[in-house]
Amino acid sequence: MRIYGEEHPNQEILSRIATNDGHGENSSYFDGWKAYENDPFHLTDNPTGVIQMGLAENQLSLDLIQDWMKKNPQASICTEEGVSEFKAIANFQDYHGLPAFRKAIAQFMEKVRGGRARFDPDRIVMSGGATGAQETIAFCLADPGEAFLIPTPYYPGFDRDFRWRTGVQLLPIHCHSSNKFKITQAALETAYRKARNSHIRVKGIVVTKPSNPLGTTMDRDTLRTLVSFVNEKRMHLVCDEVFSGTVFDKPSYVSVAEVIQDDPYCDRDLIHIAYSLSKDLGVPGFRVGVIYSYNDAVVSCARKMSSFGLVSSQTQHLLASMLGDEEFTTSFLATSRTRLCGRRRVFTDGLKRVGIHCLDGNAGLFCWMDLRPLLKEATVEAELRLWRVIINDVKLNISPGSSFHCSEPGWFRVCFANMDDTAMKIALRRIENFVYRENDAAVQAKNKRKWDETLRLSLPRRFEDPTIMTPHLMSPHSPLVQAAT
Amino acid sequence: MRIYGEEHPNQEILSRIATNDGHGENSSYFDGWKAYENDPFHLTDNPTGVIQMGLAENQLSLDLIQDWMKKNPQASICTEEGVSEFKAIANFQDYHGLPAFRKAIAQFMEKVRGGRARFDPDRIVMSGGATGAQETIAFCLADPGEAFLIPTPYYPGFDRDFRWRTGVQLLPIHCHSSNKFKITQAALETAYRKARNSHIRVKGIVVTKPSNPLGTTMDRDTLRTLVSFVNEKRMHLVCDEVFSGTVFDKPSYVSVAEVIQDDPYCDRDLIHIAYSLSKDLGVPGFRVGVIYSYNDAVVSCARKMSSFGLVSSQTQHLLASMLGDEEFTTSFLATSRTRLCGRRRVFTDGLKRVGIHCLDGNAGLFCWMDLRPLLKEATVEAELRLWRVIINDVKLNISPGSSFHCSEPGWFRVCFANMDDTAMKIALRRIENFVYRENDAAVQAKNKRKWDETLRLSLPRRFEDPTIMTPHLMSPHSPLVQAAT
């Protein structure tokens, strides 16, 4: 008998998916998380640790949910008041989902959109978070090698969700700060033509609206352009609307659902929405993803696929009651928006005091922070050098724009809703100190005319001359002003 | 402008996966479910409806879990006693899972196996039920076009789980009733050679143990044969052990974990277990699937894939407490086994009284019922004709062996643990009446020598002569005995 057990490489025995790096975790986006995990900030236990600002989590309004639960013990199957439902719920594994759950989700989606769009509970398909929703949509719409166009910057997780196991490609529609990263018809045409010239079949466009990482909503005209484009080219429009409940300021939110309701010429078979409760409600642990498609065949196929990522019936049951309580959801959404707005203001005001500007935003759990003035040169390498200083020295995990496939170096996504007020204050203080330090370094550098790039990060030349600084970057109290004088 | 919105077929715009039938739902297995759904039995509301015996659900011991929950309100985040954990748990989305959850799962898996195998919590990977576990394993181990060998009969859902989105093939190892459907070395070699002759790369063997649909455990020698075979051929052994906690009778259960512990020559990189709490605990709605691999690369890759089907943190938290309570799990497993054993006995004794035999079984939530004597001819068509009569006239949803890829027509899987005692009695009475009726028809047919197959199902010739009936088929009270005389 042959003695087995000899060594052999995994490459030979595992799949290509398992042995390639297609999951996209080798990204500075995820590296930042690891840096946080190795040294996590804690107010008392580890006050000098890394503060996690790389996680788009909404922790600001969970107290409202806790209060609701205390008042509604019958909503859970794990309470004396609700346990009689345990058997029926624990056994419920139908991939259609609990009817009350689907109804409540549809109702909540309508409320989030100000009642301006209708959702049919029978089109609500469950998935394992938005992550599962995106992959399911990709599996339904495209074959390996086919592509979706996607405006940059975009969420790094999409490389995993849309591409990894499906073999589908994501091709960038390059957007720029000059027009606040809006998608233009020209950029769309360019991306499409480029794909066609490379003989890649484009199956659709994916947009996240409100945008992650920009924190902006998409205006109605842009949305109409997209709807028109996909209809003309006979391809799909996939709208990731997972941040739709976080719009806290004007202009108000426009869902694709609203736009196509008003468009008699739109072929609805081409329109699909991904949704989730992770961001709007702040319960990412519950893994509630939703695929809402206007295409019957996609609803049917996605529902079959949902077997791979159904929502726990324990969770469905709880949420059916909670989201079915309109008084609660109305008040929750209003309070959540107010708190998000307040938090963003505290953060951006703090940044402004030290001369740091963010893209104007009205939604999301993050700012798109412009650190271009701090780059020595407009390259991804310089961006990543700055990022490493911020992670390692400033001890903030923020995410570099390059990990979001941004075309312009120097932008960073900074999450502000996954911490309490104290942590936010500490984060702001760290940024202030960092800018002071950089500033001192710049002054020293100017005096000495001697740069030591290996020891510290230097400010770019244009900071040395205050006359070229734009007014919005330089508040009267900015240390950069003093530094430059 | 082009007026869009014209009709176009979905085939052109959707993926091949979405437009093909690879999900395997076009099977009599699932058709039976639909028949049940259209006319579900209810003791008072619909007493003549279809009784669901096609669903391997364990409803017999959920009262124990309900009792535990009443005594342990702090285990849930939805109670006054546990709500203070809400925020931390609702936010928890790390794909490693709650450490306490993984530990409790590992502990439960050990207990289920009588403490004869050890499981490392760091190798516990979550998935959306066993469904998700199987697909994840297939994605990790094989490329499209590659294959796993699988003994027949096997669970119809595997066609979806292993094949649908992965492009992987399942190739049968044909097993037969002559040796109680055991896997032989010869059958294994034949299946392997056939694949090789067709230039298909075989990446592994998949077995369900205890077997679904047979309700039998796999003996240690067979398991050793499999371990040896995969090592020699350098392929994987995937053991679906989702029914391991349902073994209620001798011989006792042997996990692959136990066998490889004793085998110094086994390359553990080739061994993988799929597990779930759906069957052993009876909570399929909770979608708790587990991948346990001895291969580090598979653990790492599967964990990344688990993003598509994580277990709700609400559910993880609850189960961490429940399964961590060893006193409870010990008592639960013992009671559950006793009840399953009792239920199976009631059912098989009832069948025996009317001359129907099942394969000897000691596990699972179903019997493998031998209706070969009722087939007019040994063909799949005859089996399906009989099945339609049972569904439509007898009003029992049982699953035909052909839907389990069984090589021998006439076997049916009948689930017995997804109903209460009353429904079970009614199901047995319906079977009795059916056999009486068939028997009368056979007598009539014998007398008249006239067959009208379009109106009723006739008994095969060998029933007409009692001398060829085997003793175990014919209890003294069997109406078949009377009928044949």
Side-chain angles (χ1 to χ4, degrees):
Chain A
M1 194 185 105
R2 181 171 164 270
I3 301 293
Y4 45 73
E6 64 191 62
E7 285 301 314
H8 50 75
N10 267 318
Q11 276 76 0
E12 267 183 45
I13 57 168
L14 303 186
S15 68
R16 284 192 294 270
I17 289 177
T19 48
N20 288 351
D21 277 342
H23 52 80
E25 273 202 15
N26 294 331
S27 148
S28 47
Y29 177 74
F30 292 106
D31 286 344
W33 287 17
K34 289 168 203 158
Y36 164 75
E37 277 158 22
N38 291 337
D39 180 24
F41 169 80
H42 187 278
L43 188 59
T44 49
D45 298 350
N46 190 23
T48 61
V50 175
I51 297 179
Q52 173 61 297
M53 304 188 91
L55 191 57
E57 226 171 54
N58 186 357
Q59 295 189 6
L60 301 189
S61 301
L62 286 169
D63 57 312
L64 305 180
I65 300 183
Q66 287 190 207
D67 289 346
W68 184 88
M69 281 199 316
K70 283 185 202 162
K71 289 184 209 138
N72 293 275
Q74 79 292 345
S76 163
I77 56 171
C78 303
T79 56
E80 186 76 37
E81 294 84 350
V83 78
S84 61
E85 293 287 320
F86 182 85
K87 187 173 165 181
I89 297 302
N91 266 303
F92 185 87
Q93 56 182 317
D94 181 344
Y95 59 34
H96 291 81
L98 290 167
F101 172 71
R102 273 187 288 135
K103 190 175 160 217
I105 289 272
Q107 209 170 302
F108 187 67
M109 287 175 74
E110 290 174 359
K111 186 168 286 287
V112 158
R113 287 154 187 82
R116 296 181 301 275
R118 310 306 302 171
F119 292 98
D120 175 0
D122 287 343
R123 292 191 180 279
I124 301 282
V125 176
M126 291 182 286
S127 63
T131 296
Q134 314 293 11
E135 191 193 52
T136 298
I137 289 172
F139 268 126
C140 287
L141 303 185
D143 289 325
E146 296 182 337
F148 291 99
L149 304 181
I150 183 164
T152 64
Y154 69 83
Y155 168 55
F158 281 170
D159 290 325
R160 172 195 61 206
D161 303 347
F162 278 100
R163 293 171 26 188
W164 187 29
R165 305 197 305 185
T166 63
V168 167
Q169 302 184 62
L170 289 180
L171 303 177
I173 303 166
H174 290 293
C175 300
H176 301 279
S177 61
S178 55
N179 71 342
K180 297 186 172 180
F181 297 98
K182 275 191 192 170
I183 307 169
T184 63
Q185 178 90 29
L188 204 51
E189 297 280 3
T190 303
Y192 181 72
R193 213 168 34 242
K194 194 173 165 197
R196 293 296 292 253
N197 290 344
S198 307
H199 306 290
I200 297 169
R201 183 166 178 203
V202 178
K203 269 316 215 12
I205 302 172
V206 173
V207 290
T208 309
K209 42 185 283 303
S211 164
N212 176 6
L214 301 177
T216 56
T217 44
M218 184 180 282
D219 61 83
R220 193 178 294 264
D221 282 348
T222 304
L223 204 38
R224 280 189 183 138
T225 301
L226 293 175
V227 168
S228 169
F229 191 86
V230 299
N231 272 280
E232 280 170 22
K233 307 289 191 205
R234 295 183 62 181
M235 61 166 80
H236 299 278
L237 179 59
V238 179
C239 291
D240 176 326
E241 301 195 345
V242 302
F243 292 99
S244 48
T246 68
V247 182
F248 47 75
D249 210 347
K250 298 274 174 203
S252 68
Y253 182 64
V254 185
S255 168
V256 72
E258 208 181 320
V259 168
I260 65 168
Q261 271 174 195
D262 302 336
D263 183 350
Y265 300 114
C266 176
D267 179 355
R268 294 183 174 208
D269 278 352
L270 305 176
I271 310 295
H272 321 274
I273 297 172
Y275 187 54
S276 147
L277 297 181
S278 301
K279 310 303 182 183
D280 287 357
L281 210 58
V283 292
F286 287 8
R287 313 311 299 148
V288 183
V290 167
I291 296 141
Y292 191 92
S293 175
Y294 293 86
N295 184 318
D296 293 344
V298 172
V299 169
S300 163
C301 181
R303 189 160 276 148
K304 290 185 182 89
M305 289 186 184
S306 70
S307 297
F308 300 112
L310 292 170
V311 177
S312 169
S313 56
Q314 182 194 12
T315 301
Q316 285 184 55
H317 181 73
L318 176 73
L319 293 172
S321 288
M322 191 188 297
L323 301 184
D325 180 347
E326 289 223 50
E327 199 180 321
F328 168 72
T329 54
T330 305
S331 135
F332 176 89
L333 284 169
T335 307
S336 172
R337 284 166 178 151
T338 306
R339 291 182 183 176
L340 286 171
C341 190
R343 175 57 71 81
R344 183 183 159 110
R345 191 170 304 125
V346 165
F347 183 60
T348 53
D349 285 355
L351 292 179
K352 273 184 199 155
R353 281 197 297 275
V354 292
I356 295 173
H357 176 67
C358 292
L359 186 76
D360 281 346
N362 63 331
L365 311 170
F366 29 73
C367 298
W368 190 234
M369 183 168 75
D370 183 3
L371 295 188
R372 285 177 298 169
L374 291 180
L375 292 195
K376 200 183 159 205
E377 54 184 32
T379 63
V380 171
E381 291 68 32
E383 174 181 287
L384 291 176
R385 270 200 299 276
L386 174 57
W387 172 70
R388 276 189 287 270
V389 170
I390 296 173
I391 289 263
N392 297 328
D393 299 350
V394 190
K395 298 287 188 81
L396 299 177
N397 175 34
I398 64 174
S399 310
S402 52
S403 67
F404 287 79
H405 303 268
C406 187
S407 320
E408 293 175 17
W411 294 89
F412 290 79
R413 191 190 75 169
V414 193
C415 299
F416 56 71
N418 61 326
M419 62 191 71
D420 61 21
D421 289 340
T422 311
M424 172 51 71
K425 273 181 201 151
I426 294 170
L428 270 173
R429 201 180 310 140
R430 288 184 185 181
I431 295 173
E432 277 173 25
N433 290 339
F434 169 62
V435 175
Y436 282 125
R437 213 170 64 216
E438 289 306 303
N439 172 42
D440 286 349
V443 171
Q444 273 189 7
K446 193 176 180 185
N447 292 342
K448 293 186 193 169
R449 296 281 171 225
K450 184 178 151 194
W451 297 78
D452 185 356
E453 287 182 28
T454 59
L455 288 177
R456 66 173 77 87
L457 184 89
S458 62
L459 281 172
R461 191 154 304 166
R462 68 192 188 101
F463 265 125
E464 296 167 35
D465 180 359
T467 58
I468 63 162
M469 299 301 281
T470 54
H472 71 263
L473 265 174
M474 307 297 287
S475 84
H477 308 295
S478 169
L480 286 174
V481 178
Q482 297 161 28
T485 54
Chain B
M1 194 186 103
R2 179 172 166 269
I3 301 293
Y4 44 75
E6 63 191 62
E7 284 301 315
H8 51 74
N10 267 319
Q11 276 77 359
E12 266 184 46
I13 57 166
L14 303 187
S15 69
R16 284 191 295 270
I17 289 177
T19 49
N20 289 351
D21 277 343
H23 52 81
E25 273 202 16
N26 295 330
S27 149
S28 46
Y29 177 74
F30 293 105
D31 286 346
W33 287 18
K34 288 168 204 157
Y36 163 75
E37 276 157 22
N38 291 336
D39 180 23
F41 169 81
H42 186 278
L43 188 60
T44 49
D45 298 349
N46 190 23
T48 61
V50 175
I51 297 179
Q52 172 63 294
M53 304 188 91
L55 191 58
E57 226 171 52
N58 186 357
Q59 295 188 6
L60 301 189
S61 301
L62 286 169
D63 57 312
L64 306 180
I65 299 183
Q66 287 190 206
D67 290 345
W68 184 88
M69 281 199 316
K70 283 184 203 163
K71 288 184 210 140
N72 293 275
Q74 78 293 344
S76 163
I77 55 171
C78 303
T79 56
E80 186 76 38
E81 294 83 351
V83 77
S84 62
E85 293 288 318
F86 183 84
K87 188 172 164 179
I89 297 302
N91 266 301
F92 185 86
Q93 55 182 318
D94 181 343
Y95 60 33
H96 290 81
L98 288 167
F101 172 71
R102 273 186 287 135
K103 191 176 160 214
I105 289 271
Q107 209 170 303
F108 187 68
M109 287 174 74
E110 290 175 359
K111 186 170 286 288
V112 157
R113 286 154 187 81
R116 297 181 300 277
R118 311 305 301 171
F119 292 98
D120 175 0
D122 288 341
R123 292 192 179 278
I124 301 282
V125 176
M126 290 182 286
S127 63
T131 296
Q134 315 292 11
E135 191 193 51
T136 299
I137 288 173
F139 268 126
C140 287
L141 303 186
D143 289 325
E146 296 182 338
F148 291 99
L149 304 180
I150 184 165
T152 64
Y154 68 84
Y155 168 56
F158 280 169
D159 291 325
R160 172 195 61 206
D161 304 346
F162 277 101
R163 295 171 25 188
W164 188 28
R165 305 198 303 184
T166 63
V168 167
Q169 302 185 61
L170 289 179
L171 303 177
I173 302 166
H174 291 293
C175 299
H176 302 279
S177 61
S178 55
N179 72 343
K180 299 189 172 178
F181 297 97
K182 275 191 193 170
I183 308 168
T184 62
Q185 178 88 31
L188 205 52
E189 297 279 3
T190 303
Y192 181 72
R193 214 169 30 244
K194 194 174 166 196
R196 293 296 292 255
N197 290 344
S198 306
H199 307 289
I200 298 169
R201 182 167 177 201
V202 178
K203 271 315 218 9
I205 302 172
V206 173
V207 289
T208 308
K209 41 186 282 305
S211 164
N212 177 6
L214 300 177
T216 54
T217 44
M218 184 180 283
D219 60 84
R220 195 178 294 264
D221 282 348
T222 304
L223 204 38
R224 280 190 183 137
T225 301
L226 293 175
V227 168
S228 169
F229 190 86
V230 299
N231 273 279
E232 281 170 22
K233 307 289 191 204
R234 295 182 61 183
M235 60 165 78
H236 300 277
L237 179 59
V238 179
C239 292
D240 177 325
E241 301 195 344
V242 302
F243 292 99
S244 48
T246 68
V247 182
F248 48 75
D249 209 347
K250 298 273 171 201
S252 68
Y253 181 62
V254 185
S255 167
V256 71
E258 208 179 320
V259 168
I260 65 168
Q261 271 173 193
D262 302 337
D263 183 351
Y265 300 115
C266 176
D267 179 354
R268 295 184 172 206
D269 277 352
L270 305 175
I271 310 295
H272 321 274
I273 296 172
Y275 188 54
S276 148
L277 297 181
S278 301
K279 311 301 181 184
D280 287 356
L281 210 58
V283 292
F286 288 7
R287 312 311 300 146
V288 183
V290 167
I291 296 140
Y292 191 92
S293 175
Y294 293 85
N295 183 318
D296 292 344
V298 172
V299 169
S300 164
C301 182
R303 189 159 278 148
K304 290 185 181 90
M305 289 187 184
S306 69
S307 297
F308 300 112
L310 292 170
V311 177
S312 169
S313 57
Q314 182 194 12
T315 300
Q316 284 185 55
H317 181 74
L318 176 73
L319 292 172
S321 287
M322 191 188 297
L323 301 185
D325 179 348
E326 289 223 50
E327 198 180 322
F328 168 72
T329 54
T330 304
S331 135
F332 177 89
L333 284 169
T335 308
S336 172
R337 284 166 178 151
T338 305
R339 290 183 184 176
L340 286 171
C341 189
R343 175 58 70 82
R344 183 184 159 107
R345 191 171 304 125
V346 165
F347 184 60
T348 52
D349 285 355
L351 292 180
K352 273 183 200 155
R353 281 197 297 275
V354 292
I356 294 173
H357 176 66
C358 293
L359 186 75
D360 280 346
N362 63 332
L365 311 170
F366 29 71
C367 298
W368 190 234
M369 185 169 73
D370 183 4
L371 294 188
R372 285 176 299 169
L374 292 180
L375 292 195
K376 200 184 161 205
E377 54 184 29
T379 63
V380 170
E381 292 68 34
E383 173 182 288
L384 292 176
R385 271 199 300 275
L386 173 58
W387 172 71
R388 276 188 289 271
V389 170
I390 296 173
I391 289 264
N392 298 329
D393 298 350
V394 190
K395 297 286 188 79
L396 299 177
N397 174 34
I398 64 174
S399 310
S402 53
S403 67
F404 287 78
H405 304 268
C406 188
S407 321
E408 292 176 19
W411 294 89
F412 290 78
R413 192 190 74 168
V414 194
C415 298
F416 55 71
N418 61 325
M419 62 191 70
D420 60 21
D421 290 339
T422 311
M424 172 51 70
K425 273 181 201 150
I426 295 170
L428 270 173
R429 201 179 309 140
R430 287 184 185 180
I431 295 173
E432 278 172 25
N433 291 340
F434 169 62
V435 175
Y436 282 126
R437 214 169 64 214
E438 288 306 304
N439 172 43
D440 287 348
V443 172
Q444 275 188 7
K446 192 176 180 184
N447 293 340
K448 293 184 190 169
R449 297 279 174 226
K450 185 178 154 194
W451 297 80
D452 184 356
E453 286 183 27
T454 58
L455 287 178
R456 66 172 78 87
L457 183 88
S458 64
L459 281 173
R461 191 153 306 169
R462 68 193 187 100
F463 264 124
E464 296 168 37
D465 180 359
T467 59
I468 63 161
M469 300 299 282
T470 53
H472 71 262
L473 264 174
M474 306 299 287
S475 85
H477 308 293
S478 169
L480 286 174
V481 176
Q482 298 161 29
T485 54

